[in-house]
Amino acid sequence: MKLQIDRELPVPLGLQVKGLIEYGIACGELSPGERLPSVRELADSLAVAPMTVALVYRGLREAGLIETRRGRGSFVAESGEPRRRPRTEIAEIQRRLDHLIDDAVAIGLTPADLTGMVQARLSQRRPRRRARSVVMLGLFRDATRAYAAAIQSRLPPGTTVQPLTMDELRGDESARLRAAEAELVVTFPNRQREAAALLPDSRVMAIRFIPSEETRRALAGLDPLARLGIASRFADFLPIMKSGVQRFAPHVRQVAGAALGTPALDAVIDQSDVMVLSTGAESVLPRLRPGVRAIEYRHSPDPVDVDQQIVPLLSPEAEGIAEPQEAVP
């Protein structure tokens, strides 16, 4: 991801730099382990003061989003969760299977005999599956429900994903209890530390979120002559949101943006034929002129992260193997 600030946006430069990195991580633009420019390199490329970049990097380190490796520079922090099973473990299982097959052939067992024995032993040793619970911890209720449904559609049968918002977690004791009882809590990378502090005894995992297919299609189908406005609930999200809008609608030339609660938003609304609203910015809708189209810039859970990080933790194999049961005479 090339970090680039937008001097046409009514957002302070330091806040833009912070937002580009923070939401770049949350939205999959920056990957775990990816090297970031040095303070001097980034300051020079963006034409901002080195102190501005240094303060942003310090804040992101304190938030756990980036890390500094001595003598090597700054990097996007790793999530701390394995993305796939180590190859060495798989190779060891394969080696032991080869020995089992060799022993079976040596005493005259057929492939069908061996397969039947393995299946019978698996049935005896596999524990009865219990209901498994995951909490999707988001910011806005409707969007969080959609995130939870998208995650659940990719998980093993019998797994439920409950949507909860950060506000509910902070202010509702029953919501905090439900989250604490869940096997796994999933949230955004830039909210993981806060969630872990609220749920100190829970396993909190961060996954990335990418612009939804519906959002990409809507932007790609815009009239090239449309005057496009964007509005965000958070000012530091505006730079990466505008960059994403321009990536999916490169044919639209006129794009302006502003954050909620700023004077610049009135002019953006008045001069736009189409308004793209970040999730949580629905309060803009009553202010639109008749005939102005609104598009929500909605994200969805990255299916790669769901498949590689969440599914392995909830698969039947992850439940472990029960103790051998005595044969019943």
Side-chain angles (χ1 to χ4, degrees):
M1 174 187 175
K2 180 176 174 57
L3 298 175
Q4 188 171 354
I5 59 177
D6 188 333
R7 283 179 162 78
E8 294 182 358
L9 288 174
V11 180
L13 300 183
L15 199 58
Q16 288 199 43
V17 177
K18 172 183 175 292
L20 285 169
I21 298 175
E22 177 178 345
Y23 289 103
I25 294 169
C27 300
E29 303 282 352
L30 293 168
S31 301
E34 183 172 340
R35 185 184 183 279
L36 297 170
S38 69
V39 168
R40 174 63 65 180
E41 289 169 342
L42 188 55
D44 288 346
S45 68
L46 299 180
V48 299
M51 180 59 69
T52 298
V53 178
L55 290 173
V56 168
Y57 274 23
R58 185 173 72 181
L60 293 171
R61 280 196 301 271
E62 292 173 351
L65 293 176
I66 69 173
E67 58 191 17
T68 299
R69 302 174 188 173
R70 186 178 297 274
R72 298 181 60 193
S74 296
F75 297 79
V76 177
E78 300 285 352
S79 68
E81 295 289 347
R83 291 183 176 270
R84 54 184 64 83
R85 296 185 186 278
R87 291 182 178 272
T88 54
E89 292 184 9
I90 296 175
E92 174 61 17
I93 294 295
Q94 291 174 334
R95 186 187 67 78
R96 291 162 67 180
L97 282 173
D98 288 342
H99 284 306
L100 174 63
I101 293 170
D102 291 343
D103 291 344
V105 171
I107 64 173
L109 291 180
T110 67
D113 293 333
L114 181 57
T115 300
M117 291 176 64
V118 170
Q119 290 178 338
R121 296 302 293 172
L122 280 173
S123 297
Q124 290 181 0
R125 295 175 65 84
R126 177 173 292 170
R128 180 176 297 175
R129 293 193 62 198
R130 56 188 175 85
R132 316 195 77 164
S133 174
V134 175
V135 162
M136 171 61 228
L137 187 58
L139 298 179
F140 307 107
R141 186 169 300 169
D142 289 345
T144 303
R145 288 196 190 102
Y147 301 153
I151 292 172
Q152 182 158 343
S153 70
R154 306 187 72 86
L155 298 187
T159 304
T160 60
V161 183
Q162 305 176 61
L164 285 178
T165 66
M166 294 295 295
D167 285 343
E168 290 172 329
L169 191 63
R170 295 188 198 100
D172 186 338
E173 185 61 32
S174 64
R176 190 180 296 109
L177 181 60
R178 293 201 305 275
E181 291 176 343
E183 189 164 351
L184 180 66
V185 177
V186 178
T187 191
F188 305 94
N190 57 332
R191 299 290 176 170
Q192 184 178 19
R193 177 164 290 195
E194 180 183 3
L198 291 169
L199 299 166
D201 298 322
S202 297
R203 185 174 195 174
V204 180
M205 171 184 286
I207 63 171
R208 295 169 295 185
F209 287 71
I210 60 176
S212 68
E213 183 178 354
E214 293 80 4
T215 295
R216 298 196 302 267
R217 284 180 180 173
L219 292 172
L222 289 176
D223 185 334
L225 300 179
R227 295 173 299 172
L228 192 59
I230 60 176
S232 171
R233 176 83 171 266
F234 305 110
D236 55 354
F237 182 58
L238 266 178
I240 199 166
M241 180 181 174
K242 183 177 178 181
S243 175
V245 168
Q246 291 174 319
R247 181 166 73 250
F248 300 123
H251 54 290
V252 179
R253 301 299 181 187
Q254 299 185 58
V255 183
L260 269 62
T262 62
L265 183 59
D266 289 336
V268 171
I269 293 173
D270 290 342
Q271 297 168 11
S272 299
D273 304 314
V274 179
M275 283 294 297
V276 181
L277 309 177
S278 71
T279 300
E282 296 81 6
S283 61
V284 172
L285 291 174
R287 301 169 59 183
L288 302 184
R289 302 188 320 275
V292 172
R293 179 185 176 191
I295 298 172
E296 181 182 0
Y297 195 78
R298 173 71 66 91
H299 285 74
S300 61
D302 185 342
V304 174
D305 275 9
V306 175
D307 291 349
Q308 292 190 355
Q309 295 197 72
I310 300 178
V311 171
L313 295 178
L314 302 173
S315 63
E317 292 78 9
E319 296 182 17
I321 302 298
E323 292 296 322
Q325 301 176 358
E326 294 184 3
V328 179

